[in-house]
Amino acid sequence: MPFVNWLKRNLVVLAGLLTLGYLLLPNVVVTVFSFNKPKGRFNYEWQQFSLDAWKDPCGVSGLCGSLSLSLQIALWATLGATLLGTLIAFALVRYRFRARGAVNSLIFLPMAMPEVVMAASLLTLFLNMGAQLGFWTILIAHIMFCLSFVVTAVKARVMSMDPRLEEAARDLYAGPFQTFVRVTLPIAAPGIAAGALLAFALSFDDFIITNFNAGSTVTFPMFVWGSAQRGTPVQINVIGTTMFVVAVLFVLVSMLAGNRRNRQKA
Amino acid sequence: MSTLTEAPPPLAPQAPASKPPKRRGRFTPYWLLLPGILWLVVFFALPMIYQASTSVQTGSLEQGYKVTWHFATYWDALSAYWPQFVRSVLYAGTATILCLLLGYPLAYLIAFRAGRWKNLIMILVIAPFFTSFLIRTLAWKTILADGGPVVGALNTLHVLDVTNWLGMTAGDRVLATPLAVVCGLTYNFLPFMILPLYTSLERIDGRLHEAAGDLYARPWTTFRKVTFPLSMPGVVSGTLLTFIPAAGDYVNADLLGSTDTGMVGNVIQTQFLRVLDYPTAAALSFILMAAILLMVTLYIRRSGTEDLV
């Protein structure tokens, strides 16, 4: 039975590909339904092919506004979390000091906490302080929960760094600032970039924490949430498809660039 | 590049004898930590304390709340919402097991069998992350629609008979049943299982598999005795990364479930944002947090990977 033998040998591959299909199925559905012309308010059933939504992605009131708000928040949150997180990561890897254990747990806890718990407790704080919910409270919350992920990403990279490279720079009479900018930073850069990318993705996609602390401000995930109740415009699928394609292209291009750089060095 | 990644582990902290310590450097770590740690203390730790105090307050929104050490709120919340707690643990637990069963073959495939397709598969695992998870969860409404191909196939294969018997579905529907919620949870947190599994599988030396084969271990035995034990760190962190957020999630239960499938997250959200009963909501999220911390601690103890965190 050659077929049974083949099946036995490739069972893992088949199971893995099935899982990959499970992961990608919703993206396929989102893409296909971005070409739909729905009857009524909800875009859950296939009716008719149409390019209407692709021609006019901002045709729904509030959608592109929420998208640009989400982009702004994600950019500022990435900047803030990456800056604060990189400093913490360097302090944790490079120095021995008291309270190191406490700092490590404080970094770990936000990642081990269900989002809804953090969201609710932050709202309690804001209500007690009488803070106006909106852009600033969202930004504060996003920097808070992205911080730990940046620290983890940067820490991993700095830990694998050879401290002798910096010693060599100092031996060649580089000042502390010069050593940092010319040697330390370039080596840590991939870790910092990974942390920043993670922070951007997390912030841009966050719904639970934002929903609690946004007041009447509407980010893109909150717009999608609202539309699930009121009626989902096809434009949401257009945006979803675009995000997927842009992400794949971005990763492909950065990988190709990395490959070429490695080949040039070799 | 390769010289960097293969560099020896960082040296032990240098003995101060070789270089006199700079006086300026003594406070450097604290200056580096200050802004970020301050942020976490003010916007993460302090809120937890506020929430603890809120949970023992009584009063009303109009007249204001006072701390009265009214611990009965905890008891009331627990006795009113225990079904949602049980459901959260049950759904998140089922989703975690499904994630492990589904994610392991894919992680294994990427680590050992993908060859030159490795990078592409990796991209396809990560890329869906960039389409808003709410949009993707809504797509499951289309996929699991009544009378759709998926429901039809499950019906033909008599899977629905089994899930009906288990109480996971009701009649010919999948949408608005526990099965739909578990399916959504499994889908949403699957990458959090695959990535740590892949990382720990990747570290395994392929020669160990050859050695097992040389010692006449069949592939299944090799997996059971060599591969799986060595991938335990990935299994532990993967299950934690899946279970914790799944237990607190309320989006899947809201979009794919019905009123009978509410989880703790749904109750906390409703109490906080609609009913505005802050003490009950605070008590509920404290119970959730405590339950999860307890389960996680026990789990890490049992699996013997305490150095994980």
Side-chain angles (χ1 to χ4, degrees):
Chain A
M1 292 284 275
F3 176 71
V4 172
N5 280 333
W6 179 88
L7 198 67
K8 259 187 181 169
R9 254 183 294 121
N10 292 297
L11 203 60
V12 177
V13 177
L14 284 177
L17 289 179
L18 277 177
T19 304
L20 195 63
Y22 178 66
L23 270 176
L24 291 173
L25 183 62
N27 282 88
V28 174
V29 170
V30 169
T31 310
V32 169
F33 277 73
S34 72
F35 297 105
N36 191 16
K37 187 175 194 151
K39 271 186 209 153
R41 293 179 299 148
F42 291 93
N43 183 20
Y44 296 139
E45 263 172 71
W46 180 258
Q47 304 288 344
Q48 194 193 331
F49 181 86
S50 135
L51 282 172
D52 292 354
W54 280 95
K55 283 182 200 146
D56 185 20
C58 284
V60 188
S61 77
L63 187 134
C64 283
S66 71
L67 200 60
S68 99
L69 179 72
S70 273
L71 281 172
Q72 283 173 43
I73 291 176
L75 281 175
W76 287 114
T78 304
L79 199 68
T82 309
L83 195 69
L84 300 180
T86 306
L87 295 179
I88 295 181
F90 268 97
L92 282 175
V93 178
R94 285 304 170 78
Y95 297 91
R96 301 272 165 263
F97 52 90
R98 265 189 283 164
R100 212 161 158 272
V103 168
N104 264 324
S105 339
L106 190 62
I107 301 291
F108 173 72
L109 271 176
M111 294 190 287
M113 196 73 66
E115 268 194 273
V116 71
V117 174
M118 277 196 281
S121 67
L122 201 54
L123 177 61
T124 329
L125 177 82
F126 287 144
L127 289 175
N128 271 297
M129 294 194 322
Q132 175 80 41
L133 297 179
F135 181 87
W136 291 105
T137 50
I138 302 175
L139 185 58
I140 286 173
H142 283 204
I143 293 179
M144 183 270 288
F145 77 78
C146 291
L147 195 54
S148 306
F149 291 93
V150 175
V151 173
T152 317
V154 180
K155 227 171 92 176
R157 178 75 190 179
V158 179
M159 266 205 291
S160 68
M161 225 165 114
D162 190 342
R164 285 174 299 184
L165 288 169
E166 285 168 309
E167 276 170 36
R170 274 196 295 273
D171 287 346
L172 294 166
Y173 297 102
F177 181 73
Q178 231 181 341
T179 310
F180 183 75
V181 173
R182 304 284 289 269
V183 179
T184 317
L185 209 56
I187 300 176
I192 298 174
L197 200 65
L198 194 60
F200 185 87
L202 286 171
S203 164
F204 188 78
D205 203 20
D206 180 74
F207 170 71
I208 294 182
I209 289 181
T210 314
N211 188 30
F212 272 78
N213 295 294
S216 55
T217 312
V218 178
T219 62
F220 182 65
M222 287 176 69
F223 183 89
V224 178
W225 174 260
S227 77
Q229 263 88 37
R230 291 188 314 266
T232 41
V234 189
Q235 275 81 353
I236 283 183
N237 291 50
V238 172
I239 310 267
T241 312
T242 314
M243 282 155 104
F244 182 74
V245 173
V246 168
V248 171
L249 284 180
F250 179 80
V251 183
L252 275 177
V253 166
S254 64
M255 258 173 33
L256 288 177
N259 276 349
R260 188 185 296 166
R261 213 178 308 138
N262 280 351
R263 225 176 294 140
Q264 276 171 354
K265 270 189 189 165
Chain B
M1 269 321 260
S2 61
T3 49
L4 285 178
T5 46
E6 281 157 23
L11 300 172
Q14 294 276 307
S18 59
K19 273 182 209 152
K22 277 181 257 165
R23 278 210 64 74
R24 208 171 37 135
R26 251 194 23 205
F27 295 105
T28 318
Y30 299 104
W31 286 118
L32 290 175
L33 287 172
L34 190 69
I37 293 303
L38 208 60
W39 201 281
L40 281 183
V41 167
V42 175
F43 299 118
F44 175 75
L46 192 64
M48 293 290 164
I49 297 166
Y50 262 108
Q51 193 166 35
S53 106
T54 306
S55 70
V56 290
Q57 288 174 349
T58 46
S60 65
L61 201 59
E62 293 79 28
Q63 288 147 14
Y65 291 97
K66 270 205 186 75
V67 178
T68 51
W69 302 107
H70 190 258
F71 281 106
T73 311
Y74 278 85
W75 177 244
D76 295 341
L78 205 53
S79 53
Y81 298 111
W82 67 267
Q84 281 87 343
F85 268 104
V86 173
R87 254 180 240 141
S88 292
V89 175
L90 225 56
Y91 293 179
T94 315
T96 307
I97 295 168
L98 284 174
C99 278
L100 186 61
L101 292 177
L102 290 172
Y104 210 106
L106 185 53
Y108 191 94
L109 167 70
I110 304 173
F112 298 123
R113 301 287 291 271
R116 61 202 181 94
W117 299 103
K118 190 172 180 168
N119 284 333
L120 182 71
I121 301 181
M122 213 51 188
I123 295 175
L124 291 178
V125 170
I126 298 170
F129 259 119
F130 287 84
T131 306
S132 175
F133 85 101
L134 284 167
I135 301 183
R136 289 179 284 128
T137 310
L138 282 176
W140 279 103
K141 274 198 154 169
T142 306
I143 299 168
L144 299 176
D146 300 340
V150 173
V151 175
L154 291 177
N155 233 338
T156 320
L157 295 169
H158 294 285
V159 175
L160 285 188
D161 295 343
V162 179
T163 51
N164 275 339
W165 180 73
L166 284 170
M168 297 284 283
T169 48
D172 283 342
R173 296 200 75 188
V174 171
L175 219 52
T177 65
L179 183 66
V181 179
V182 170
C183 171
L185 287 171
T186 310
Y187 166 76
N188 267 315
F189 298 107
L190 192 52
F192 295 94
M193 180 67 88
I194 293 173
L195 295 176
L197 277 179
Y198 163 72
T199 320
S200 66
L201 283 171
E202 173 87 311
R203 281 195 201 129
I204 299 176
D205 191 336
R207 285 172 299 184
L208 289 170
H209 293 156
E210 287 168 30
D214 289 346
L215 296 165
Y216 297 104
R218 295 163 140 273
W220 173 242
T221 318
T222 307
F223 175 75
R224 208 162 43 90
K225 297 258 177 161
V226 179
T227 317
F228 190 72
L230 285 173
S231 69
M232 264 323 269
V235 174
V236 172
S237 54
T239 41
L240 289 179
L241 282 174
T242 314
F243 181 80
I244 297 172
D249 182 81
Y250 61 83
V251 174
N252 283 285
D254 197 293
L255 293 182
L256 301 174
S258 67
T259 44
D260 300 329
T261 59
M263 296 164 68
V264 195
N266 300 76
V267 184
I268 296 176
Q269 191 245 8
T270 316
Q271 295 291 323
F272 239 113
L273 300 180
R274 279 191 231 146
V275 186
L276 305 179
D277 180 355
Y278 298 130
T280 304
L284 280 170
S285 56
F286 244 80
I287 300 172
L288 173 65
M289 186 176 77
I292 283 183
L293 283 180
L294 186 74
M295 277 188 276
V296 168
T297 319
L298 288 177
Y299 177 65
I300 294 180
R301 283 266 165 79
R302 271 213 59 167
S303 57
T305 40
E306 276 175 77
D307 53 315
L308 194 80
V309 292

